Amino acid sequence: MTATIGTTVEQVMAELAGLEEPRMREVNERHGDDHGVNLTKLRAVAKRLKTQQDLARDLWKTDDTAARLLALLICRPKAFERAELDAMLRESRTPKVHDWLVNYVVKKSPHAEELRLAWFADPDPVVASAGWALTTERVAKKPDGLDLPGLLDVIEAQMKDAPERLQWAMNHCLAQIGIEHPEHRARAIDIGERLEVLKDYPTPPNCTSPFAPAWIGEMVRRQQAKQ
């Protein structure tokens, strides 16, 4: 099917249904993602549709995971209001939708910093994990004004017992602080070694372990090798 400007939600949903692969769905569902569309094929559909904000909003309303992923690829990130992005995050049921929404849309939004602060303190751990993801982005790119020792205090006190999604986000922030900020590296490594979060996480060969001390060590080694 060749879609053009003016493509309807029904046409897109029919195309996505045609791309559904039972085996792919089986693999994705193990990770909490209820769709069976190959992401390379999904990106190809998005590339053809180009940016269509109205269609993106309509696809989001379907509550279908593949449709929502496509919506996030064809939307205009700066066109969303803050309240709209907040509602979308709270509606993001699956890890991939949540991850793409934060990384592909919210990070490019003029409301990113406001949402970072609001989500960071949210009682819902999945919402809070988005606040931590945005904080990790700032640790790497715009650390001025962040209280890095304070972040390490929170991680030290809360990461060990945090729910899984929040724990992963905190752990990423811990690693990023250690990688990007040499003055805090020893403390970040020490916290990781004492808490042992993700220490035994199965890591494929040639992949970096998510265990923060190993992650920090590997990324610093790569940085030094480039110098």
Side-chain angles (χ1 to χ4, degrees), residues 28-84:
N28 286 336
E29 284 184 341
R30 285 188 217 133
H31 305 287
D33 290 310
D34 56 350
H35 77 95
V37 179
N38 179 294
L39 295 181
T40 302
K41 292 178 181 176
L42 190 78
R43 290 179 190 279
V45 174
K47 189 174 180 181
R48 195 188 68 239
L49 289 173
K50 300 187 170 64
T51 302
Q52 296 192 52
Q53 182 68 7
D54 290 342
L55 179 59
R57 281 194 167 106
D58 289 341
L59 287 170
W60 184 269
K61 289 174 189 168
T62 65
D63 195 29
D64 176 84
T65 294
R68 284 187 162 182
L69 290 172
L70 181 60
L72 296 172
L73 294 174
I74 67 168
C75 73
R76 188 174 289 107
K78 293 178 180 176
F80 292 107
E81 296 298 327
R82 176 195 154 159
E84 196 174 5

Side-chain angles (χ1 to χ4, degrees), residues 130-191:
W132 277 91
L134 294 171
T135 300
T136 301
E137 173 89 346
R138 274 202 57 191
V139 166
K141 295 183 178 174
K142 287 191 280 187
D144 289 352
L146 284 181
D147 176 8
L148 298 179
L151 286 172
L152 290 173
D153 289 344
V154 175
I155 291 167
E156 189 170 19
Q158 299 179 14
M159 182 171 75
K160 181 81 172 174
D161 299 316
E164 184 181 17
R165 296 272 284 283
L166 181 55
Q167 186 183 67
W168 272 89
M170 285 182 166
N171 184 70
H172 190 181
C173 191
L174 174 66
Q176 205 69 54
I177 291 172
I179 292 162
E180 301 288 347
H181 301 279
E183 68 275 24
H184 299 295
R185 187 169 295 151
R187 186 182 174 202
I189 291 171
D190 177 64
I191 290 170

Side-chain angles (χ1 to χ4, degrees), residues 66-116:
R68 284 187 162 182
L69 290 172
L70 181 60
L72 296 172
L73 294 174
I74 67 168
C75 73
R76 188 174 289 107
K78 293 178 180 176
F80 292 107
E81 296 298 327
R82 176 195 154 159
E84 196 174 5
L85 290 171
D86 182 70
M88 289 167 73
L89 185 85
R90 293 172 193 280
E91 293 164 6
S92 297
R93 298 172 295 102
T94 65
K96 186 65 76 179
V97 170
H98 180 277
D99 182 52
W100 281 21
L101 175 62
V102 172
N103 286 294
Y104 295 171
V105 181
V106 179
K107 284 181 180 179
K108 298 174 184 175
S109 163
H111 309 293
E113 181 61 12
E114 267 185 279
L115 289 168
R116 180 185 79 82

